[in-house]
Structure formats: C-alpha cells, structure tokens
Amino acid sequence: MTSANWAVGKIAKRAGVKVSTLHFYETKGLIHSYRNAGNQRRYSPDVLRRIAVIKAAQKLGVSLEEIRQAFADLPDNRTPTQDDWESLSANWRNQLDARIAYLERLRDYLTGCIGCGCLSMKKCPLYNENDQLAAEGDGPVILDRNGTPD
Amino acid sequence: MTSANWAVGKIAKRAGVKVSTLHFYETKGLIHSYRNAGNQRRYSPDVLRRIAVIKAAQKLGVSLEEIRQAFADLPDNRTPTQDDWESLSANWRNQLDARIAYLERLRDYLTGCIGCGCLSMKKCPLYNENDQLAAEGDGPVILDRNGTPD
DNA sequence: ACTTTACCTCAAGTTAACTTTAGGTATTAG
DNA sequence: CTAATACCTAAAGTTAACTTGAGGTAAAGT
C-alpha cells in the first residue's frame, strides 16, 4: 500500500496551495485523504500529482466540476496513471483548441471592425457570435437613422 | 440635442439584455440615463452602441471594471465615436493577443507533456507557467522516489 | 375610469472557487 | 510537562456579474 502519512500542511506547502484549498478540494470530491488516530488528515503522495493535474486543467480553462467528472470517470476513482492523464489531456486539448479558435475569430472580427463602423448590434459578429440573439424575432437590431422609439 | 426618450424596457429588448442588467450597468457607471417627470429612466439611443461595446469587450475577456475605465478615459465621458472605439479596440486587441499567445503556449506544453510524465510540480510549465512559485524557496517540488514525508 | 403592464428602489440571492473566522483539539518542540 | 504550532469543523465572507423578490408608483390600453 502507498504510504499515506503526509499531513495537510506539508502537502499544502509542497503543492503551493493553502491548507484551506485542500479542505475545499476534498469537499468537492477532487482529492481524498485518510485520517490518523487524532482525526487529522493524512495523504498519500499521489495527491500531489492530482493537484498538479487540477492546476494544469484550470489553466486550460477547465472548471473544477469538469475536473471532478474527469477524475470520476477514471476506473475506481484512482489517481490518474500516465495513460489516464493522456486521455484527459487529449480531451481537454480539444476544449483548449476550441477556445483558441474562438478567440482568434474574435480577433479577426475586431480587426475587421476597426474603422468599419459595423458595431451595430444585429450585424457585427463581435456582438452576435455564438448568440442565439442573432437569429430572428426580438433581440438586438440596428437603430434607424433618427433613433426614434417605437 | 439627442433624443432621449427611450424607456428601459425598449432598450433592453433591442439590446437583448434584461432590464436589471441596464440598472446594474448604470450603478457601475457604464451607461447613463435621464429621468422623466415620473422618475422613470429615459435613454438616448447612443446607449445601444455603448452596450454593444460592452458586450464585445466582454467576449474579448475584458472585465466590466476595465471597460468602465476605458469609457472614463474618453473625453468628457461621451459615447465613443468611431475613433474612440478604434483606440479602445486596439488596446483590447493587445490583451486578446496576449491571451491567445498564452493559451497557445499552454497547448504546446500540453502536447509536449503527453506521455512525457513530466507533470511534476516543479518542472512542468503547465503547472508553473506564470507562477511565482516556479522560482526558488518553498513551493511545488518534485517528489522523491519513495515519497516519504520530511 | 379602471386595470394591466412597465417602472422604481433596495435588499438579498446566485455561482465559482476559495479564504477567513471562531471555537476547540492534537502534535510537536524544548 | 508545557507552550507553541498545527489541525479540525462549520459557518460566514469575498469577487464578478448579474438576477430575483418585495413593496409601491407611473404609464398605457380599453
């Protein structure tokens, strides 16, 4: 069995997070601890890698809830092996690619919109991209010349 | 003078936001309204463009506070003209470029880290990028072989 | 005129991801 | 053995960006 005798303060220091964060991650089901005779948390060193995965995923823009689900999908909830991490990262990489692509599209629109005066709510993709509003019916519309109500 | 006789519900509908959002933006100093005899808000149609700018900026990842500051930097706090919007967007574009570059770097690391087993807290850029933790002293460190505490 | 719909203000609720505080126990250093 | 740390739990506070609710007024439709 893995040695599980690290106290929470030691783990926190090594991982570069606060003790309260570890408590919090535990309540969220992201990490796990054992208890010693005095009811204090003791950790297997595996938890450090798990925290590293959490922190890395957060940088990719993955929420704790998504991370929790990814961890939960691991067979019997164990700490990810290298293979597990590979599939997690492949998954998250797709999300990252999508986010990058989205921002790049915005950047292009932003460039295109400079000086074109197209920042009218209905036409400009900067405003409407990914909005259902862009369709028909109510929602953003272009102002008429004189801007009178009704 | 600009006609300022749009009621908040009309503006909300045209802009595709809730009335409460307009109230909220007003308390944050992002938009401005006039009052009629019965103390109800009335808007100049300019506000629609301002909302469009807010929404566009949010998509770029700019916070409301940063938007407020950008608006406040406009001479006499007026609605941005095309030139104003150009300089705002040039500014925000830089931020966007930086964000994209950052995510691209993460993507590269993610690719590089797949299968390399480097997700150890001290070495892996996925964990340490932009962290002051990466330097010296306390902070994330690599586990030793046997993972014993102290 | 009367009734519905739109507004108003102020306070409190919401979500994510934590941190802080309070009151109390376990460990550790000397 | 004792004092200083380290831990524990549960609850409340924090920030951003809004939304919801309560109690009451104004405007609009018929």
Side-chain angles (χ1 to χ4, degrees), chain A residues 6 22 30 59 97:
Chain A
W6 289 70
L22 296 179
L30 292 166
K59 291 203 172 177
D97 282 341

Side-chain angles (χ1 to χ4, degrees), chain B:
Chain B
M1 80 192 203
T2 344
S3 66
N5 41 354
W6 290 70
V8 69
K10 301 275 172 61
I11 292 289
K13 197 170 187 183
R14 293 223 168 192
V17 303
K18 296 199 164 191
V19 169
S20 61
T21 304
L22 296 178
H23 287 183
F24 175 70
Y25 284 170
E26 188 171 319
T27 69
K28 290 287 171 177
L30 292 166
I31 60 177
H32 176 244
S33 65
Y34 309 89
R35 297 299 176 114
N36 74 355
N39 194 38
Q40 296 195 348
R41 288 175 181 80
R42 289 299 180 266
Y43 295 88
S44 149
D46 291 351
V47 79
L48 286 175
R49 176 166 291 255
R50 205 176 256 255
I51 296 166
V53 172
I54 293 169
K55 290 299 175 187
Q58 283 190 305
K59 291 202 173 179
L60 307 181
V62 181
S63 73
L64 289 186
E65 173 54 21
E66 289 170 312
I67 296 169
R68 191 192 60 69
Q69 284 170 20
F71 282 172
D73 285 346
L74 296 172
D76 81 359
N77 212 24
R78 59 181 154 70
T79 300
T81 64
Q82 198 155 314
D83 280 354
D84 292 328
W85 169 236
E86 264 188 53
S87 64
L88 286 190
S89 81
N91 187 4
W92 289 338
R93 194 202 144 111
N94 286 337
Q95 291 181 41
L96 183 56
D97 282 341
R99 270 161 41 80
I100 290 172
Y102 174 64
L103 291 180
E104 282 171 343
R105 252 176 303 130
L106 284 186
R107 177 172 59 187
D108 293 343
Y109 288 139
L110 186 51
T111 302
C113 286
I114 290 177
C116 88
C118 83
L119 200 70
S120 297
M121 298 191 169
K122 191 145 192 172
K123 285 193 309 192
C124 185
L126 260 179
Y127 190 85
N128 287 312
E129 167 107 0
N130 279 12
D131 283 357
Q132 47 286 81
L133 299 172
E136 284 320 312
D138 287 323
V141 294
I142 292 177
L143 267 187
D144 51 48
R145 278 306 146 276
N146 41 26
T148 35
D150 281 357

Side-chain angles (χ1 to χ4, degrees), chain A residues 107-118:
Chain A
R107 177 173 59 188
D108 294 344
Y109 289 138
L110 186 52
T111 301
C113 286
I114 289 178
C116 88
C118 84

